[in-house]
């Protein structure tokens, strides 16, 4: 199962005209444009490389309370981009008072790019929310916070982290082998859907991979088209990724981590969820009747409400 995180930007560009080419490439590639919802804006954060990283922003509603709502920074997974958070979770959490930022990954230094965005745009320690391979990126961010070799200002402090249907710290190889021996048909389907990108052409396979069986065809088709546009360039060098696994541990992590899974997840199994939770010394939370794309699924509010309750509890 060779899963690559992908985004909507061209990676290899002429360095003499880096910024211009990156912007032109983005406009050319996004043939299916995500229409922002009320209160959302689309910005472009210029990275040290000169490339521009898309950010969808939705500011938090003002509340008459002394409670401090931490900003939330959302990191997508394979074949997705910032739009996947903008559909439901950005409106939900911004209405609750949180400033929300969803980024579209590009390049090969994801954790560092997330850190650069936070360093230059977020005034107080945020909560990072990562889905699938985005969760693995957040795990690398956390490990860098505990590295004595890095300057403190390279990786700003966090208020907390939420790992949603995340790839475990050892990577996806354990999941692959479990599926091969216990669920060979599922293993074949997952490989065909993700490695061969068959989810792009098969509506039924796209639904089975990412969503609940009750999601209507027209909704699946809309997300399928957006995922096609978000997966034209691999964002992980899988050889380098595998060489860097497992994620280094961080003893005595100074903030709370929520490990959240989906009962009907077609990609990350229960053992993968338990592995991640055990790695961080927290109990896993598994949401019933929801699929891998928890933030887009028909019951998207279930996961959002778990995170909202956790945010309120972790602030006390």
């Amino acid at each position: 199962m060779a899963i690559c995180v992908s985004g909507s930007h061209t990676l290899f560009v002429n360095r003499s005209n880096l910024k211009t080419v990156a912007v032109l490439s983005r406009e050319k590639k996004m043939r299916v444009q995500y229409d922002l919802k009320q209160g959302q804006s689309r910005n472009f954060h210029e990275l040290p490389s000169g490339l521009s990283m898309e950010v969808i922003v939705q500011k938090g509603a003002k509340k008459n309370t002394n409670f401090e709502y931490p900003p939330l920074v959302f990191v997508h997974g394979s074949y997705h981009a910032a739009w996947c958070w903008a559909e439901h979770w950005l409106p939900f959490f911004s209405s609750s008072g949180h400033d929300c930022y969803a980024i579209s990954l590009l390049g090969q230094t994801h954790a560092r790019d997330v850190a650069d965005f936070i360093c230059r745009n977020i005034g107080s320690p945020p909560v990072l929310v990562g889905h699938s391979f985005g969760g693995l990126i957040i795990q690398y961010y956390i490990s860098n916070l505990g590295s004595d070799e890095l300057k403190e200002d390279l990786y700003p402090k966090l208020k907390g982290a939420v790992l949603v249907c995340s790839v475990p710290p050892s990577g996806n190889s354990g999941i692959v082998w479990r599926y091969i021996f216990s669920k060979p048909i599922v293993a074949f389907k997952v490989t065909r859907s993700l490695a061969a990108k068959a989810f792009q052409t098969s509506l039924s396979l796209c639904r089975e991979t990412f969503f609940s069986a009750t999601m209507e065809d027209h909704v699946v088709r809309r997300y399928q088209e957006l995922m096609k546009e978000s997966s034209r360039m691999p964002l992980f060098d899988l050889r380098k990724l595998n060489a860097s696994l497992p994620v280094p541990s961080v003893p005595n992590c100074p903030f709370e981590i929520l490990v959240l899974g989906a009962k009907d997840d077609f990609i990350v199994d229960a053992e993968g969820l338990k592995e991640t939770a055990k790695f961080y010394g927290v109990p896993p939370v598994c949401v019933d009747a929801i699929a891998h794309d928890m933030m887009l699924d028909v019951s998207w509010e279930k996961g959002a409400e778990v995170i909202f309750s956790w945010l309120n509890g972790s602030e006390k």
Side-chain angles (χ1 to χ4, degrees):
M1 189 199 312
I3 307 175
C4 298
V5 175
S6 300
S8 57
H9 311 273
T10 296
L11 177 58
F12 301 106
V13 295
N14 186 335
R15 295 192 62 86
S16 64
N17 198 19
L18 196 57
K19 184 176 179 181
T20 301
V21 174
V23 173
L24 290 175
S25 298
R26 181 189 307 109
E27 293 175 349
K28 181 179 179 181
K29 294 180 84 64
M30 289 303 290
R31 294 174 298 182
V32 179
Q33 183 65 52
Y34 179 80
D35 294 325
L36 300 181
K37 297 184 178 296
Q38 184 176 1
Q40 296 178 350
S41 61
R42 179 179 282 110
N43 302 324
F44 294 96
H45 172 72
E46 186 174 344
L47 295 165
S49 64
L51 290 173
S52 296
M53 183 170 68
E54 179 195 31
V55 184
I56 297 178
V57 180
Q58 189 160 7
K59 291 291 187 175
K62 300 301 180 184
K63 301 286 184 178
N64 295 323
T65 175
N66 292 326
F67 182 80
E68 184 178 344
Y69 297 88
L72 307 180
V73 178
F74 296 86
V75 182
H76 65 84
S78 305
Y79 309 123
H80 293 63
W83 60 265
C84 72
W85 306 105
E87 186 77 350
H88 300 298
W89 281 18
L90 259 60
F92 177 89
F93 288 107
S94 64
S95 68
S96 302
H98 297 274
D99 289 343
C100 297
Y101 306 85
I103 64 176
S104 291
L105 298 168
L106 67 163
Q108 288 287 342
T109 57
H110 304 305
R112 183 67 190 93
D113 290 348
V114 174
D116 183 79
F117 170 75
I118 293 172
C119 186
R120 293 201 275 157
N121 295 277
I122 310 297
S124 57
V127 173
L128 280 181
V129 183
H131 174 250
S132 196
F133 257 118
L136 190 66
I137 291 166
I138 289 178
Q139 292 178 55
Y140 277 111
Y141 188 111
I142 295 170
S143 71
N144 281 321
L145 287 174
S147 175
D148 295 332
E149 300 176 2
L150 296 169
K151 295 180 180 179
E152 279 187 28
D153 58 352
L154 286 181
Y155 285 83
K157 294 180 180 179
L158 301 178
K159 188 71 174 180
V162 181
L163 306 176
V164 181
C165 300
S166 176
V167 173
S170 64
N172 62 6
S173 59
I175 298 172
V176 172
W177 284 109
R178 283 193 295 273
Y179 279 5
I180 288 174
F181 287 108
S182 65
K183 303 176 182 178
I185 295 176
V186 173
F188 172 77
K189 284 185 174 182
V190 172
T191 302
R192 179 169 173 263
S193 179
L194 299 177
K197 297 186 180 181
F199 76 88
Q200 295 183 351
T201 54
S202 170
L203 198 69
S204 61
L205 190 56
C206 184
R207 178 188 286 107
E208 190 172 12
T209 304
F210 298 107
F211 309 114
S212 293
T214 55
M215 182 172 279
E216 297 180 11
D217 284 358
H218 72 94
V219 181
V220 177
R221 189 172 291 108
R222 176 169 173 257
Y223 294 151
Q224 183 185 44
E225 289 302 313
L226 285 165
M227 282 190 278
K228 284 182 188 179
E229 293 303 312
S230 303
S231 58
R232 296 183 176 277
M233 201 72 178
L235 294 188
F236 266 131
D237 182 324
L238 291 178
R239 291 180 183 177
K240 290 182 179 179
L241 173 64
N242 290 331
S244 68
L245 293 170
V247 175
S249 63
V250 180
N252 304 316
C253 186
F255 49 82
E256 297 292 325
I257 297 175
L258 172 64
V259 177
L260 186 62
K263 186 74 172 180
D264 298 334
D265 196 329
F266 194 66
I267 299 173
V268 179
D269 63 0
E271 289 303 311
L273 177 66
K274 291 177 184 176
E275 178 193 329
T276 304
K278 183 178 180 180
F279 186 81
Y280 291 103
V282 298
V285 178
C286 193
V287 183
D288 288 332
I290 198 163
H292 184 71
D293 269 22
M294 188 182 295
M295 65 288 185
L296 290 171
D297 207 17
V298 288
S299 298
W300 62 265
E301 68 279 356
K302 288 185 177 181
E305 287 168 356
V306 171
I307 296 172
F308 180 70
S309 297
W310 176 82
L311 286 168
N312 285 322
S314 65
E315 293 296 310
K316 295 178 181 178

